[in-house]
Amino acid sequence: MSHDSTVTADLAGRKLSGRRRKEIVAVLLFSGGPIFESSIPLSVFGIDRQDAGVPRYRLMVCAGEDGPLRTTGGLELTAPQGLEALARAGTVVVPAWRSITSPPPAAALDALRRAHEEGARIVGLCTGAFVLAAAGLLDGRPATTHWMYAPTLAKRYPSVHVDPRELFVDDGDVLTSAGTAAGIDLCLHIVRTDHGSEAAGALARRLVVPPRRAGGQERYLDRSLPEEIGADPLAEVVAWALEHLHEQFDVETLAARAYMSRRTFDRRFRSLTGSAPLQWLITQRVLQAQRLLETSDYSVDEVAGRCGFRSPVALRGHFRRQLGSSPAAYRAAYRARRPQQEQRPEPAQPTQPVQVFDGPLPPQLRRTPQGVGAHHGEPGRGGPDAYLQGRTALPGQRERPVG
């Protein structure tokens, strides 16, 4: 991630207050939070893995409100410490917030502001970004969250530069991640920042996850419109765009249909969807290309035309940037992986040899089904070779340059 040099210098110059310790990580829990996201920082920072070459952190689990804290499946948790313990932490992690429509407790927001003022690193996993935004810690900063909630975050906090494409965003002393498994990506990034790639790689092998994942959230997006856009005048323009992706039109065309200047349209569109209109349009065209490659026999050139790309070269460039694969390779791998029942003959016919796909499916082909739940937007990862020592790191996340 690029930063203004003055901002970078300011961030680098921040120091912890005397009572805080860099190695102490506080996890701030609230009632109603999902258990998976809450458990990620507890597992990463709370288990002693020094035998595997992972430096040890000191974990404190703090309640952000009066307990007991109820979580997924009706479980009740009792945090051993309260908000006062945040005063000793060098890093404070806020896992997913229970509801994007309800305000966090004022006392917790005050504690987060105080921690940040005293030099602590503040981390929001998934919808934890809403807590950071409510505390004012994301004002004027880049941030991300689960792609389903990015439009809401952008609309409710217009001073936050929401980027729904990233798995995580490191802005120095404030960090945010996308949904569910992206929280693991961000926590590994923190270990990498604190102790280097070797320590992060050792931890990744213990957790049986890749040290880094390539790409961002684009591959998990669907065509559904944000709930907040339904009653907005732009809803009709967005719906028209989705129905006419096969035509060649640009953002100026959409602005004209909305009876707005390009500048006004860009601002309104970003506030509603959390994305620039051009990037959103390209993403929708790539998603349409995915569907045609999966369900039709059109050539790549024909797919490009039916998705509104001006040339097959444009399709190939955007497709590879978003999904890490060429259209032809995507189709070949997808068809090799298709459920075998689609290829079986009628029951009365002799059984034919079954073609088996040899090897793990490339991560870019693991798409999320339409209508996926809020915290189930992260698919599985690659095969076992992704966890072996010496595996080449694949950058794909927005990070502040180290140093």
Side-chain angles (χ1 to χ4, degrees):
M1 181 202 314
S2 62
H3 274 268
D4 180 86
S5 58
T6 303
V7 175
T8 302
D10 290 344
L11 294 177
R14 287 175 55 88
K15 293 183 178 180
L16 286 173
S17 67
R19 58 180 176 175
R20 295 183 180 274
R21 295 291 178 266
K22 182 179 180 180
E23 71 276 8
I24 296 180
V25 177
V27 178
L28 188 58
L29 299 181
F30 299 94
S31 188
I35 191 67
F36 186 92
E37 284 80 355
S38 300
S39 69
I40 289 172
L42 302 182
S43 179
V44 170
F45 302 113
I47 298 177
D48 186 355
R49 298 185 177 91
Q50 294 180 88
D51 61 319
V54 181
R56 185 175 184 179
Y57 289 87
R58 291 175 56 194
L59 179 72
M60 297 192 305
V61 183
C62 307
E65 57 193 341
D66 293 337
L69 309 178
R70 293 175 176 82
T71 185
T72 309
L75 297 176
E76 289 191 354
L77 305 177
T78 301
Q81 293 163 306
L83 288 173
E84 69 284 349
L86 295 187
R88 302 197 302 275
T91 298
V92 179
V93 182
V94 183
W97 174 236
R98 60 173 168 256
S99 171
I100 62 173
T101 60
S102 63
L109 298 181
D110 289 340
L112 287 172
R113 295 188 195 101
R114 187 162 52 252
H116 182 254
E117 290 170 359
E118 295 179 355
R121 176 172 52 190
I122 311 297
V123 181
L125 305 183
C126 192
T127 50
F130 282 80
V131 180
L132 273 58
L137 301 182
L138 297 181
D139 290 351
R141 291 176 177 267
T144 193
T145 188
H146 193 291
W147 59 264
M148 287 182 65
Y149 301 127
T152 303
L153 183 64
K155 182 178 181 180
R156 187 169 301 162
Y157 303 100
S159 62
V160 181
H161 306 311
V162 181
D163 190 342
R165 298 169 298 172
E166 305 290 351
L167 288 178
F168 63 79
V169 171
D170 177 350
D171 197 43
D173 55 347
V174 177
L175 303 88
T176 51
S177 81
T180 311
I184 301 176
D185 296 311
L186 179 50
C187 288
L188 284 174
H189 170 71
I190 291 172
V191 175
R192 187 182 304 111
T193 300
D194 291 348
H195 301 291
S197 297
E198 186 173 345
L203 177 57
R205 289 190 294 276
R206 274 296 183 95
L207 298 175
V208 197
V209 298
R212 290 179 185 254
R213 284 195 295 166
Q217 297 191 78
E218 295 101 327
R219 71 191 65 170
Y220 312 130
L221 304 178
D222 67 16
R223 288 169 56 110
S224 61
L225 302 181
E227 294 179 3
E228 291 77 8
I229 202 174
D232 192 274
L234 286 188
E236 183 178 347
V237 176
V238 173
W240 180 89
L242 291 173
E243 293 299 322
H244 293 79
L245 289 175
H246 59 284
E247 301 177 10
Q248 290 187 8
F249 60 86
D250 52 22
V251 178
E252 281 75 12
T253 302
L254 299 180
R257 292 188 67 87
Y259 302 101
M260 297 179 183
S261 68
R262 171 64 187 272
R263 184 174 181 178
T264 300
F265 181 78
D266 282 5
R267 184 176 64 253
R268 291 280 295 115
F269 191 94
R270 186 184 288 274
S271 70
L272 285 169
T273 68
S275 176
L278 179 58
Q279 181 59 48
W280 177 87
L281 183 58
I282 291 172
T283 297
Q284 298 305 318
R285 294 194 190 283
V286 170
L287 286 170
Q288 180 68 1
Q290 280 184 271
R291 297 183 184 96
L292 291 180
L293 290 168
E294 294 170 2
T295 61
S296 77
D297 292 321
Y298 294 131
S299 67
V300 172
D301 289 14
E302 289 175 312
V303 168
R306 290 175 178 271
C307 295
F309 288 103
R310 298 186 182 279
S311 70
V313 174
L315 166 62
R316 291 186 179 95
H318 290 300
F319 201 95
R320 184 174 291 279
R321 275 190 291 274
Q322 291 199 20
L323 299 174
S325 170
S326 69
Y330 179 92
R331 168 178 275 169
Y334 177 83
R335 290 187 173 180
R337 186 69 172 180
R338 287 175 66 182
Q340 295 301 325
Q341 59 266 30
E342 296 182 10
Q343 304 175 17
R344 289 174 185 164
E346 295 297 323
Q349 301 296 325
T351 302
Q352 300 296 320
V354 176
Q355 181 181 5
V356 178
F357 180 72
D358 184 17
L361 184 65
Q364 63 266 23
L365 304 190
R366 298 180 175 177
R367 301 180 56 218
T368 300
Q370 301 292 329
V372 70
H375 299 289
H376 296 79
E378 304 287 344
R381 296 178 170 87
D385 58 345
Y387 316 122
L388 299 180
Q389 188 170 8
R391 182 79 168 182
T392 302
L394 298 173
Q397 292 74 44
R398 176 178 285 194
E399 305 174 15
R400 169 177 169 266
V402 177

